Structures are given as C-alpha cells and as structure tokens.
Amino acid sequence: MAAPLAGITVVALEQAVSAPMCTRALADFGARVIKVENPDGGDFARYYDDVVNGQAAHFVWVNRGKESVTLDLKSEAGRDVLHRLLDRADVLVSNLAPGATARLGLSTEQMAQRHPNVIAVEIDGYGTGGPLSHKRAYDLLVQAESGVCSVTGNPGAPAKPGPPVADVTTGLYTALSIMALLVGRNGAAAQPDSPAPSISVSLFDTMAEMMGYHLTYARHSGIDQQPLGMSSPAVAPYGAYPTADGHTVVLGTTNDREWQRLARELLGRNDLADDARFAGNADRVANRGVLDEAIAAWCARHDLAHIQDAADAAGIGNARYNTPSDVLAHPQLAERDRWRSIDTPAGPIPSLLPPPVISGYQPPMGAVPGLGEHTHAVLAELGLTDEEIGDLRGQGVQRQAGR
C-alpha cells in the first residue's frame, strides 16, 4: 500500500527529543520531513555523545528518514528561505525556547496570516498562560514538576524513569494530533476559507495526563502513594523476585481469580488463598508485605525457567527482568524480524521498526541525515540557482554538507 502520509511535507524547527520523535513518527508513515538546523552545529542532540560510530545515540534514534537543511534564521535571507519552504508545506513543527517562534515571525497569528494552509504545531514545556510558561523545560525537570519522579523509585529514594517519557509521550501525542487534523481537513471537520487549526502540546500537560491514576487516587483518598520500585501501588501481588539461579522474575496478578491461581497452583499455599486478609485486591494491597515475603521465599527455591513454566501453566503473568544488552538479543525481536539496517553519515546501523504493524505497508526506514546534507537539493527545489545558493553559503546563511 502507499504510505499513509505520502505527499505530506513537514518543516521541523526541532531539537532534543520531543519534536524529533513527533516528526520521526510522521516520517515513518511516509511524510517528507525537512529538518531546518542552525548552520553552527545544528540540533544540539547531535553531540550528546559519540557512541554510534561517532554519532549521538539520541540523535540517530529519533531522526531517521529526514532531510537536513541548514539556515541561519537570525538573518533575513534565512527567514525568507524558511517562508518559501512553508509556502510548500502542510505542517510546521517546532519545540524551540519560549518565545522563539514569535521572534521568527511564526506565531500562531502570523502563521494564520502568511501560511493559512499550514498546520502550525508548537511543543513547549508548560503551555501558555500559567506561572511557569516562561520556563525552559527538559524531560527530567517536567517529570519532577508533574510528580512522576515521586511515584518512581522507592520510598525516600525517588527516581526519574529511565526513558525520556515526557519527551516521547509528548512527541507521540503531537503526532497523533497532527494526523487527526490532516484527516479532518478533508472531511466533515473542514472549514473552507478558514486558516488551518494550530496545535500546542506541552510536556507538563502530557505528564499530568500520564499521572492520571495517581492524581485520581490522591484527590479521592487524600493519600500520596509511595513508589514501590518494581511493583505497583494499585494491585498486589505484583513485583520482582530473585530466583535460585541468579535471575529476577516479575510476577503479577490483576484480579481475584489470578490471585487464587497463584496461591494454589503456583505456590501450593491454600492457606493463603483462603486467608481473609487477602480476599480482595484492596486487602492484598494492605497486606502486601506478607505476600511478597511468601512469594520471594518460593522463587528463591526455584530457577527462572521453572518459575516461568509453572506461571504460564497456571495462567499467571510473568516476565524476566532484562537489561538493555539482554533486549538487544531478545528472541521476541529477532524471531519477529523487528530489526532493520538504516543508513547514517557514518555507515549503516541497526534500528527497530516502528511499533505499528500495518498490513501491506513497510515503513521507509530512511537514513539519518548529516548536518546540512540536503540543503542544496531542497533550495534548488525552491528555484534558487547555484549562484544564489553559493551566495547564501558565503553569507553564512546555510552550510555546505560535511563542512
């Protein structure tokens, strides 16, 4: 099948993870993404580290399938080229510092006047109109501000979740919103002669949404639940337990029937199954320590394979605790052919397919761009001559690839 977003052009003024994750998702569905970068270094995520053949792991992760164009947007000539790009675009995505898009002449009002058919999308830290709206916002900062760190880790030892969940979820919410408007502009929601709707998504609002269970519980109980490491405050038993052969198994129940099977069929503990202290989930949560001690003692006597086989037979959810290195060799990925090779300026690297599996469609898995790699070709598309492109380069407005 044709790419779902074939024919859609996205211009991206992006850096770090949130907006690049959004536009990478759009590129995975076939959109053309033109990433506009500063000639003086480009997206700063290019230089977080150099572990991927001299390239940064964050950058190669969220920037495949894009074209890199370098423009000095502080110059009038650079901004003029940007507007010429937007004349041909469907979407503008940005996650610059607060106020930066307005200074570039790209505020919502300015876009509606100059580029009325472009969906203008801005990812920011805290949204507009609040006391924190002026602040810079990074993944850790927003996770702390939104309460995420307080429910992660262990009591007295809060932690940031390992993946940049504020950036990633915000990027994906933004991509979802863009796709909704792209569908709506050709359907019943279309409003002829009206500017395209704009989109604003904040990291803080996204993380507040992710905290939905914890916020709802706190509002109605008056209790701030404490983090439980590899467990959940909502259900019990549910946690991680060392095995006899040095691994860690994770076992979980989500209802009373599963608890009964775990106690009787897995642990062989009818006494626990019949104990009124564990009759319902709320009872088991209140007496979590007793259950964890019993389960831990049983797991400590058995190897991981035995525990998982027995849990599968009893219909009990289970998993092995893995490290990133373990996941690289995970048979679930290998046997389902989830890895692909993508090109980068430093040679091919493995990359995971995007999560959605769509019948008849193969994601393009395009290359990670070098800084300014596509500048000449894209500017030539706009009608600039080689001489004009050379003049821009001489003025420092754009950068030649590889320099």
Side-chain angles (χ1 to χ4, degrees):
M1 62 178 286
L5 295 183
I8 298 297
T9 298
V10 179
V11 173
L13 304 178
E14 60 182 21
Q15 54 198 4
V17 175
S18 59
M21 174 57 75
C22 166
T23 57
R24 197 209 78 179
L26 300 177
D28 285 340
F29 287 111
R32 181 186 188 186
V33 177
I34 300 174
K35 182 183 181 79
V36 177
E37 301 186 71
N38 190 320
D40 186 18
D43 184 342
F44 54 73
R46 285 181 177 274
Y47 312 104
Y48 279 167
D49 55 61
D50 59 1
V51 301
V52 188
N53 302 329
Q55 305 164 109
H58 273 93
F59 188 84
V60 300
W61 166 42
V62 292
N63 284 286
R64 68 171 180 240
K66 304 178 185 180
E67 301 170 48
S68 173
V69 171
T70 49
L71 294 173
D72 179 6
L73 298 182
K74 293 180 180 179
S75 72
E76 184 176 350
R79 292 192 297 274
D80 178 67
V81 174
L82 174 63
H83 283 292
R84 293 174 70 170
L85 283 173
L86 291 172
D87 286 337
R88 300 180 172 209
D90 299 280
V91 183
L92 168 67
V93 176
S94 66
N95 69 328
L96 306 180
T101 51
R103 291 191 293 272
L104 292 173
L106 302 174
S107 68
T108 299
E109 296 77 14
Q110 293 165 321
M111 286 293 294
Q113 293 175 2
R114 187 159 183 177
H115 304 287
N117 296 321
V118 176
I119 299 170
V121 183
E122 185 159 9
I123 296 174
D124 62 17
Y126 295 100
T128 58
L132 303 185
S133 297
H134 66 288
K135 295 176 72 69
R136 287 182 178 271
Y138 306 133
D139 185 84
L140 170 61
L141 305 181
V142 173
Q143 290 200 42
E145 192 76 41
S146 63
V148 172
C149 294
S150 75
V151 298
T152 309
N154 289 286
K160 171 194 172 298
V165 294
D167 283 334
V168 170
T169 53
T170 301
L172 295 178
Y173 258 113
T174 305
L176 175 64
S177 303
I178 292 168
M179 292 182 184
L181 290 188
L182 289 173
V183 170
R185 74 179 182 177
N186 295 320
Q191 299 181 12
D193 303 322
S194 295
S198 62
I199 299 172
S200 177
V201 185
S202 80
L203 276 72
F204 184 77
D205 289 345
T206 302
M207 284 298 92
E209 170 65 17
M210 294 297 101
M211 285 287 289
Y213 160 73
H214 297 280
L215 298 180
T216 302
Y217 191 96
R219 179 184 294 277
H220 295 281
S221 70
I223 298 171
D224 287 329
Q225 292 178 313
Q226 294 300 299
L228 293 172
M230 287 185 63
S231 186
S232 166
V235 292
Y238 197 94
Y241 309 94
T243 68
D245 55 347
H247 294 289
T248 298
V249 67
V250 181
L251 298 172
T253 62
T254 59
N255 56 61
D256 295 342
R257 294 185 302 278
E258 289 182 356
W259 154 243
Q260 287 291 318
R261 294 200 302 272
L262 186 147
R264 297 183 191 278
E265 300 177 31
L266 200 63
L267 305 183
R269 293 289 302 272
N270 290 341
D271 58 316
L272 294 178
D274 295 333
D275 194 321
R277 291 178 297 170
F278 313 125
N281 182 65
D283 305 308
R284 294 191 293 277
V285 168
N287 294 284
R288 181 192 306 275
V290 178
L291 295 181
D292 279 342
E293 183 177 352
I295 296 170
W298 182 82
C299 289
R301 298 195 300 269
H302 300 284
D303 290 350
L304 174 68
H306 171 83
I307 295 170
Q308 292 199 276
D309 288 343
D312 286 341
I316 300 300
N318 64 91
R320 170 186 169 178
Y321 164 78
N322 285 320
T323 65
S325 294
D326 294 328
V327 178
L328 288 175
H330 205 296
Q332 191 70 9
L333 296 174
E335 293 184 21
R336 294 170 57 242
D337 194 25
R338 297 295 297 165
W339 292 100
R340 293 292 184 275
S341 177
I342 63 170
D343 290 329
T344 79
I349 63 169
S351 183
L352 280 170
L353 286 165
V357 178
I358 301 174
S359 61
Y361 176 65
Q362 287 293 323
M365 303 297 286
V368 176
L371 180 60
E373 178 181 349
H374 303 89
T375 305
H376 191 284
V378 172
L379 267 56
E381 284 183 39
L382 298 179
L384 277 72
T385 65
D386 288 348
E387 182 178 358
E388 289 172 320
I389 295 172
D391 289 342
L392 289 175
R393 185 179 305 132
Q395 299 168 32
V397 174
Q398 62 98 184
R399 169 192 176 110
Q400 185 175 3
R403 298 283 181 86

